[in-house]
Amino acid sequence: MQKRFLIVDDMHQSICALLAEIGIEGDYKPEISREELLSIIGGYEGLLIRSKTDVNQELIDAAVKLEVIGRAGAGLDRIDVQYVESKGIEILNAPEGNRDALAEHAMGLLLSMLNNILKADAEVRNWIWDREGNRGEELSDKTIGIIGYGYMGQAFVQRLRAFDCRVLVYDKYKKGFGTKNVEEVSLNKLFDKADILSLHIPLNEETRAWVNKEFIQNFRKDIYLLNTARGEILPTKDLLELLDIGKIKGAALDVLDKEKFDKLTEEERNQFMNLFSRKNVVFSPHVGGWTFSSYKRINEVLVGKIAAHYLPERII
């Protein structure tokens, strides 16, 4: 019997054709409501999501036939991984699909921050020709401290090699990855040596608000900060305090701890207004891995993993 997969988030139009090539029927419903999802999920062997859908106990209990959950992207923070795995359901994601997009975007943010690109652009458009006020920093004489050496961290390091900077990497869960280009270090050494901190870690209960004021105060130097991971890792309130005292000299942020602006409290809105007024902070709207190429490539990676999952069963 043919497997059926329900796609509940926006994905590249190739997804159903790619699934059909491996004998799976794709049912594309990106506008589905939560109520409708709960009412029909019991008829599907697979569920494909991006970042909109919460896969919690309620949904899994309704998904009586579910065998595979595919995440079109890297992060699994919307999935109750422990409960899903307790039901014998396979979780597949596709960080390989957007790691290059993320790495290139991270480089763009970092270079924009260090060279005052957005500030200079705004000034020139307003007839201000201030060369001295926009003097930049060079990467070649900096030490980059990276936390997290998964697909994203590794792709970012690959781009950094061209800039001849020193690269230190701390990863709590990986050992033995050091090379002549990458120094595997303890967190204490990262604190002691880094000029720039770049975050490449998932969001979970361990990392939520982990990089807070107390954490950053451990750095011996005042640092620049780059976050293309998850906003909830770094509380905005703490970031503002660290910017105020100069402990963070500048920040480049693709993510924020609250990204649904229409749901902000008055206090949260005021914090963001404060943050948005800073000329030493560069923003983008969580698009680090979101390119035209990665949009399609994620599908290809994900469907390849689905095919590998079912290969012993000859799904058709």
Side-chain angles (χ1 to χ4, degrees):
M1 181 180 294
Q2 189 176 45
K3 306 287 186 180
R4 299 178 66 216
F5 273 48
L6 179 62
I7 303 119
V8 296
D9 284 336
D10 289 313
M11 295 179 67
H12 187 271
Q13 62 186 14
S14 62
I15 187 62
C16 288
L18 288 169
L19 288 171
E21 289 178 6
I22 61 171
I24 291 177
E25 177 187 347
D27 195 358
Y28 189 68
K29 293 180 177 290
E31 304 302 324
I32 193 170
S33 69
R34 182 72 177 185
E35 292 74 19
E36 184 184 359
L37 172 58
L38 289 170
S39 70
I40 68 173
I41 188 61
Y44 294 89
E45 286 80 18
L47 174 67
L48 300 188
I49 67 169
R50 289 196 68 91
S51 56
K52 178 181 74 175
T53 303
D54 284 318
V55 181
N56 55 16
Q57 183 172 342
E58 176 189 40
L59 179 57
I60 295 305
D61 287 345
V64 293
K65 295 172 60 178
L66 202 62
E67 299 168 348
V68 172
I69 295 171
R71 162 69 164 98
L76 302 179
D77 43 283
R78 304 301 292 271
I79 301 174
D80 186 338
V81 174
Q82 184 175 357
Y83 191 72
V84 169
E85 292 180 343
S86 76
K87 296 295 184 179
I89 299 168
E90 182 82 6
I91 299 173
L92 304 173
N93 64 343
E96 305 94 327
N98 63 351
R99 59 184 173 187
D100 292 330
L102 185 284
E104 291 183 16
H105 191 83
M107 285 304 314
L109 285 175
L110 180 57
L111 293 172
S112 293
M113 173 176 59
L114 293 180
N115 292 282
N116 303 305
I117 299 298
L118 298 186
K119 174 177 174 290
D121 175 82
E123 289 177 355
V124 172
R125 291 172 189 272
N126 284 283
W127 302 96
I128 299 169
W129 195 262
D130 180 13
R131 296 181 69 207
E132 182 57 37
N134 288 295
R135 189 189 292 266
E137 300 266 11
E138 294 183 30
L139 274 174
S140 59
D141 59 1
K142 298 289 186 296
T143 296
I144 317 295
I146 293 173
I147 300 181
Y149 202 54
Y151 287 105
M152 306 304 175
Q154 291 174 43
F156 183 54
V157 166
Q158 186 179 29
R159 273 71 180 175
L160 285 172
R161 289 173 184 164
F163 291 87
D164 295 325
C165 48
R166 185 182 181 187
V167 178
L168 310 180
V169 178
Y170 167 77
D171 192 308
K172 181 177 179 179
Y173 299 101
K174 289 189 175 184
K175 304 297 176 188
F177 56 81
T179 69
K180 65 178 182 179
N181 297 310
V182 178
E183 297 178 50
E184 178 183 346
V185 299
S186 66
L187 198 53
N188 284 334
K189 185 168 183 179
L190 199 76
F191 289 148
D192 187 53
K193 300 296 183 182
D195 299 295
I196 299 168
L197 172 64
S198 187
L199 303 175
H200 299 273
I201 48 181
L203 176 66
N204 52 43
E205 290 312 306
E206 184 179 13
T207 61
R208 189 179 299 275
W210 180 46
V211 182
N212 54 23
K213 182 179 178 181
E214 290 72 29
F215 182 93
I216 297 296
Q217 293 282 23
N218 287 309
F219 284 85
R220 181 173 60 83
K221 306 176 188 178
D222 297 337
I223 63 169
Y224 291 96
L225 184 138
L226 173 62
N227 188 8
T228 55
R230 285 291 186 270
E232 296 92 330
I233 294 168
L234 171 63
T236 298
K237 179 178 180 294
D238 289 21
L239 174 59
L240 287 169
E241 292 183 27
L242 291 160
L243 287 165
D244 284 340
I245 64 176
K247 189 63 187 178
I248 291 180
K249 297 193 290 184
L253 308 172
D254 183 49
V255 290
L256 298 171
D257 58 357
K258 297 290 177 65
E259 296 180 356
K260 294 183 178 179
F261 289 166
D262 60 335
K263 298 186 183 302
L264 295 177
T265 66
E266 183 177 357
E267 180 183 4
E268 290 166 345
R269 182 171 291 275
N270 288 336
Q271 287 178 357
F272 279 141
M273 288 177 65
N274 184 339
L275 187 62
F276 296 162
S277 71
R278 311 278 177 140
K279 293 184 177 180
N280 61 339
V281 182
V282 178
F283 301 96
S284 58
H286 204 150
V287 292
W290 192 246
T291 65
F292 291 103
S293 297
S294 70
Y295 195 33
K296 182 178 181 181
R297 191 180 305 118
I298 284 171
N299 283 359
E300 295 166 349
V301 171
L302 192 56
V303 172
K305 291 185 176 182
I306 293 168
H309 171 82
Y310 280 116
L311 185 61
E313 297 183 16
R314 303 292 182 184
I315 62 175
I316 299 175

